[in-house]
Amino acid sequence: MRDDLILEDTTLRDGEQTPGVALSAEKKVKIFNALVDAGVRWIEPGIPTMGGEEVKALKEMLERRDEVTLIGWNRGVRSDVQKSIDLGFRAVHIGLPTSDNHLKNSVRKDRTWLLSTAQDMVKMAKDQGCFVSISAEDIGRTEPEFLKEYAVAVAEAGADRLRLSDTIGILSPSQYADRVRAITGVCDIDLQAHCHNDFGLAVANTLAAIEAGVRYFHVTVNGIGERAGMADLAQVVMSLRQWYDVDLGIDTLQLTALSRLVSHACGFPSSPWQPIVGPNVFAHESGIHTTGMLRDTSTFEPFPPERVGGERKLLVGKHSGRGVIAHALGEEGAGLDSDTLDELLREVRAEAIATGGTVPPHRLREMAGKARATQH
């Protein structure tokens, strides 16, 4: 694995392309500032050619371009790239497809046009002093031999980076890694992983790509993006720390707050089971689990919630045992004998089933008070 890995966040570009999401300039800038403050140093903040509110947001973000590398995303159109450069971007990305499917059905061009256009646009941007990233879109359906030919062509034209986009998320981790190795075998251009999550493999594919030799990789907060989304920032950051001892300079204490900020801005609540930052990740109800947690918090947690700005919760519900009920009641439960606790446990389970959830603390205290009165 390389020791110069670069995380690039695309929450504000590919992430915002989530169906039903439209961020105002104010919301985009707020998320951008939160990303920078959390330690993200490469960001794809939007699409300059959209104009209007998008440009308003991008201009404000560009005021911090000495702190963070901002990549202006463009279609494979000269005027798009020029607009990004004129706006003040020092790094640009050029989006072009490489599969026959996309060439035919998306841009209605052939491979000859693609190779010529890619080289021409790379040279145009390089001549103006830009860092140039260019796509190989839909690599999952691109013939490996042509993918290698394309990689050599853009490298010879001077591209700084080739983005390997599994546009519809159809590759397995081993298949994605094979494509990375195929390209590194024919040229030395830096590669970037861009993995979609249609089969739930975006994080796994990103890690496989990193193991195979990519330097850059794309993530989004909460894994938002087109269709099933992309590789999640928090999951990749914590996976790299857990298994590879790689610290990317991200302040993990801000991961949960960042997740909530993006969720609120997009109008889509995070899943309770969202890895790393979801509200259920550090919540425990089962009797066996809570008993273990009361003795040692590492029993049923891979790392403490404080590490990612989260909070541990021991909940009382259908699957709880007497231990967590006594713990939840604290001093109020100290005087309850064993038989009363058993009865209280039965009542807790009945109420949890009736309400379809957990028993809140105030209700548990009410039930305990009645149990205590009956006991005496």
Side-chain angles (χ1 to χ4, degrees):
M1 182 178 292
R2 304 178 64 134
D3 60 5
D4 58 352
L5 295 177
I6 294 178
L7 174 151
E8 182 179 309
D9 185 90
T10 185
T11 300
L12 299 172
R13 199 280 297 176
D14 204 307
E16 195 191 3
Q17 290 174 204
T18 300
V21 171
L23 300 176
S24 66
E26 180 182 4
K27 288 181 178 178
K28 290 197 72 160
V29 172
K30 188 173 183 179
I31 292 170
F32 168 78
N33 287 328
L35 287 166
V36 177
D37 293 345
V40 178
R41 289 296 174 262
W42 284 66
I43 296 176
E44 193 172 60
I47 306 173
T49 196
M50 288 182 68
E53 185 93 347
E54 185 84 344
V55 169
K56 177 184 176 182
L58 294 175
K59 284 182 176 178
E60 190 168 346
M61 295 181 214
L62 282 163
E63 294 177 5
R64 297 187 73 174
R65 63 185 172 183
D66 290 336
E67 303 173 59
V68 57
T69 300
L70 294 166
I71 299 92
W73 190 94
N74 308 277
R75 298 170 298 176
V77 178
R78 290 180 66 93
S79 59
D80 282 21
V81 177
Q82 192 60 54
K83 181 157 188 156
S84 290
I85 296 172
D86 293 343
L87 196 59
F89 281 94
R90 299 166 182 164
V92 295
H93 178 76
I94 302 163
L96 287 169
T98 51
S99 72
D100 288 339
N101 183 301
H102 277 211
L103 283 170
K104 177 182 177 182
N105 298 314
S106 181
V107 296
R108 297 184 180 182
K109 302 291 184 180
D110 60 20
R111 291 179 175 181
T112 300
W113 170 88
L114 172 63
L115 293 171
S116 174
T117 299
Q119 290 182 311
D120 177 61
M121 296 190 68
V122 168
K123 290 175 182 177
M124 167 203 169
K126 289 301 295 181
D127 286 346
Q128 297 182 66
C130 290
F131 173 95
V132 179
S133 171
I134 190 166
S135 281
E137 294 175 0
D138 198 23
I139 62 167
R141 294 183 294 190
T142 301
E143 293 178 11
E145 288 305 310
F146 180 66
L147 183 60
K148 291 190 286 186
E149 180 184 352
Y150 178 78
V152 170
V154 296
E156 290 178 346
D160 297 284
R161 181 179 76 186
L162 174 59
R163 178 178 297 172
L164 302 179
S165 302
D166 185 11
T167 307
I168 58 172
I170 59 173
L171 294 176
S172 70
S174 62
Q175 291 170 334
Y176 200 105
D178 285 344
R179 281 156 177 76
V180 172
R181 296 189 188 98
I183 295 172
T184 57
V186 295
C187 65
D188 60 1
I189 189 171
D190 277 337
L191 301 177
Q192 180 182 37
H194 178 97
C195 303
H196 281 270
N197 203 39
D198 296 76
F199 284 86
L201 294 172
V203 171
N205 284 354
T206 299
L207 295 176
I210 291 171
E211 288 183 342
V214 305
R215 181 184 183 192
Y216 300 84
F217 56 91
H218 254 170
V219 293
T220 62
V221 177
N222 295 337
I224 66 173
E226 297 171 335
R227 301 182 316 281
M230 297 193 63
D232 174 67
L233 183 152
Q235 293 175 47
V236 176
V237 167
M238 294 305 292
S239 293
L240 286 171
R241 285 195 174 202
Q242 179 76 17
W243 296 315
Y244 306 96
D245 197 27
V246 172
D247 184 348
L248 296 167
I250 304 300
D251 181 2
T252 62
L253 297 178
Q254 299 189 45
L255 290 177
T256 298
L258 188 57
S259 168
R260 291 172 181 169
L261 171 64
V262 171
S263 177
H264 179 74
C266 293
F268 289 108
S270 296
S271 164
W273 306 279
Q274 177 82 6
I276 311 299
V277 297
N280 269 18
V281 173
F282 300 102
H284 307 273
E285 178 189 330
S286 166
I288 294 175
H289 283 218
T290 53
T291 297
M293 292 298 296
L294 289 170
R295 292 171 180 161
D296 183 344
T297 57
S298 69
T299 306
F300 288 101
E301 289 176 353
F303 53 84
E306 295 81 10
R307 191 174 299 173
V308 294
E311 179 184 1
R312 179 179 297 113
K313 299 175 184 177
L314 300 182
L315 305 176
V316 175
K318 175 183 175 181
H319 302 96
S320 296
R322 295 192 308 173
V324 75
I325 290 177
H327 172 79
L329 288 171
E331 292 183 2
E332 296 179 50
L336 298 178
D337 60 33
S338 180
D339 289 342
T340 304
L341 272 176
D342 284 341
E343 178 59 31
L344 182 56
L345 177 59
R346 285 191 288 270
E347 292 181 12
V348 163
R349 289 175 175 169
E351 180 147 336
I353 293 170
T355 61
T358 57
V359 176
H362 76 276
R363 178 60 183 141
L364 180 62
R365 288 193 296 272
E366 290 176 1
M367 297 168 71
K370 292 179 180 178
R372 187 179 295 107
T374 302
Q375 174 180 303
H376 296 297

